[in-house]
Amino acid sequence: MGLTFEAGAPSASGGRVGVLHLPHGAVETPVFMPVGTAATVKAVPQDTLEHIGRAGAQIILANTYHLYLRPGHELIRRMGGLHRFMGWDRPMLTDSGGFQVFSLAKLRNVTPDGVEFRSHLDGSKHFFSPEHSIAVQIALGADILMTFDECVETPATWERTRDSMGLTHAWAARSKAYWLAHRHEVPWEQGSEKQGSGIGEQGSEDPHTPIAMALSDPCSLIPAPCLFGIVQGGMYPDLRRESAERLVEMDFDGYAIGGLAVGEPREVTREMIGLTLELLPKDKPRYVMGVGYPDEIEEYARIGVDMMDCVLPTRAARHGLLFRAAEPGEDGPAVRMNIKRLEYAEDQRPIDPSCGCMVCQRYTRAYLRHLFVAREPLAATLNSIHNLEYYLATLDRVRGSLAECS
Ligand SMILES: [Zn+2]
């Protein structure tokens, strides 16, 4: 048992609230997943992540490609898996590494078997196949694993996109076959000495941990990570349709919509998401990868996307770009603020007077500007906390209004 999903009735626009039950706990959807590229959401400590938004970050994402290269998935397996390694007890998702192989790595050679590439760190040669990607993800030990897919360059012709999609489907089937055979090889039990993790505590007193509950249920299997398939098809509606149908036939625990937010106009992203959502099972979680700005997050959640992730809140924060609610007279709903601007040098207000985050409770724009201009490391931390609060609070609000509709 890797996942159960309880989805509420959809609103008029298709949005729904739900609860995703994963081996490391429950996640209320729609949810935004902060990106923890190298086993860290950059500049934000794990205990702080647990106190952002109403319930903290419920689930975070880690990047397989980066962790495979450094420190190495076998090292992380020996350390008891990613949860124990980074001190994070809540659910986690790993991507397949495909996106980074195709966007960061050098000298790629794609064959039907997999992709040979050189590390962007030291030029060393590596090979990723669907089987190897899943093996690495199992060693890392996330709750949700992703199938290995080819990410086509953009713009790409219909023919090129169709061929790439065919490869992605073949790789999805191979990813699933490997996952079925090896999914119980996660390193979770090795974390059993860690207090309160809820993992590997088969003999523990606490009957409420997800794993203890699973083991006490004679009908359930030993907990294992679940696997999501990824719909591709570029910006071509007929290919998106075909990809969704093929993936649904293969039967995954959840479905991601990949290959979007790669520079296409917003209307195209919206169209591709809308038509793909129609074709995906209503009782499975639907995840749009790599989006987006706060207003996009809200829009997609309201039409029925259950999960999203993006580096934007933390990456923008490190560049001094902050998101806040519009004030009367400003174009809204989200305003982008560049904290390094001189106009904030003596501004005594918090970033966002309506924000409940620990940064806005304590620090002024003037201080945050000073930290950023002086290149103090604390600037990245405080800016990231505020931006993540903005994203998570946005979805807290969306969940509240969708719950009223259902
Ligand atoms: Zn704030």
Side-chain angles (χ1 to χ4, degrees), residues 135-348:
V136 172
Q137 293 183 69
I138 288 172
L140 297 175
D143 297 74
I144 300 175
L145 318 184
M146 302 300 298
T147 54
F148 190 61
D149 61 337
E150 187 186 24
C151 303
V152 74
E153 66 284 354
T154 52
T157 63
W158 185 89
E159 288 75 14
R160 167 79 183 103
T161 307
R162 178 201 56 196
D163 292 348
S164 169
M165 185 184 82
L167 190 59
T168 286
H169 295 163
W171 286 359
R174 284 168 53 190
S175 296
K176 181 168 177 184
Y178 190 90
W179 167 79
L180 279 173
H182 297 274
R183 60 186 156 160
H184 294 296
E185 295 167 12
V186 281
W188 294 340
E189 284 75 15
Q190 295 171 39
S192 58
E193 302 88 357
K194 184 159 175 22
Q195 270 199 332
S197 72
I199 300 306
E201 296 178 0
Q202 290 95 323
S204 79
E205 303 292 308
D206 182 0
H208 303 296
T209 62
I211 286 192
M213 283 192 286
L215 289 167
S216 68
D217 176 359
C219 297
S220 75
L221 301 170
I222 295 169
C226 60
L227 182 68
F228 281 22
I230 306 176
V231 176
Q232 289 288 355
M235 307 307 155
Y236 301 100
D238 57 336
L239 297 182
R240 283 277 167 193
R241 204 163 286 126
E242 186 185 336
S243 186
E245 287 167 0
R246 285 291 314 282
L247 268 292
V248 172
E249 283 165 19
M250 287 184 222
D251 189 22
F252 289 96
D253 292 316
Y255 297 89
I257 305 175
L260 295 177
V262 287
E264 76 279 8
R266 176 90 70 95
E267 308 81 70
V268 176
T269 318
R270 190 182 293 135
E271 182 195 347
M272 294 300 129
I273 292 174
L275 75 89
T276 309
L277 286 178
E278 288 289 311
L279 299 164
L280 296 177
K282 303 280 180 271
D283 60 346
K284 299 278 179 80
R286 291 106 55 114
Y287 163 30
V288 176
M289 307 176 82
V291 293
Y293 281 97
D295 53 326
E296 292 175 279
I297 300 288
E298 175 160 0
E299 180 184 352
Y300 303 148
R302 288 190 185 282
I303 61 171
V305 173
D306 304 303
M307 304 165 69
M308 287 168 274
D309 77 282
C310 194
V311 292
L312 186 62
T314 42
R315 182 174 291 168
R318 296 195 303 279
H319 289 91
L321 182 67
L322 303 173
F323 299 104
R324 66 170 172 82
E327 290 172 359
E330 288 180 314
D331 288 339
V335 171
R336 300 176 199 177
M337 231 175 102
N338 192 336
I339 196 65
K340 72 173 173 234
R341 290 169 64 102
L342 188 60
E343 66 184 277
Y344 302 123
E346 298 187 39
D347 192 333
Q348 295 275 25

Side-chain angles (χ1 to χ4, degrees), residues 351-352 355-360 386 389:
I351 302 165
D352 183 343
C355 177
C357 89
M358 59 188 85
V359 180
C360 290
H386 168 79
E389 173 82 23

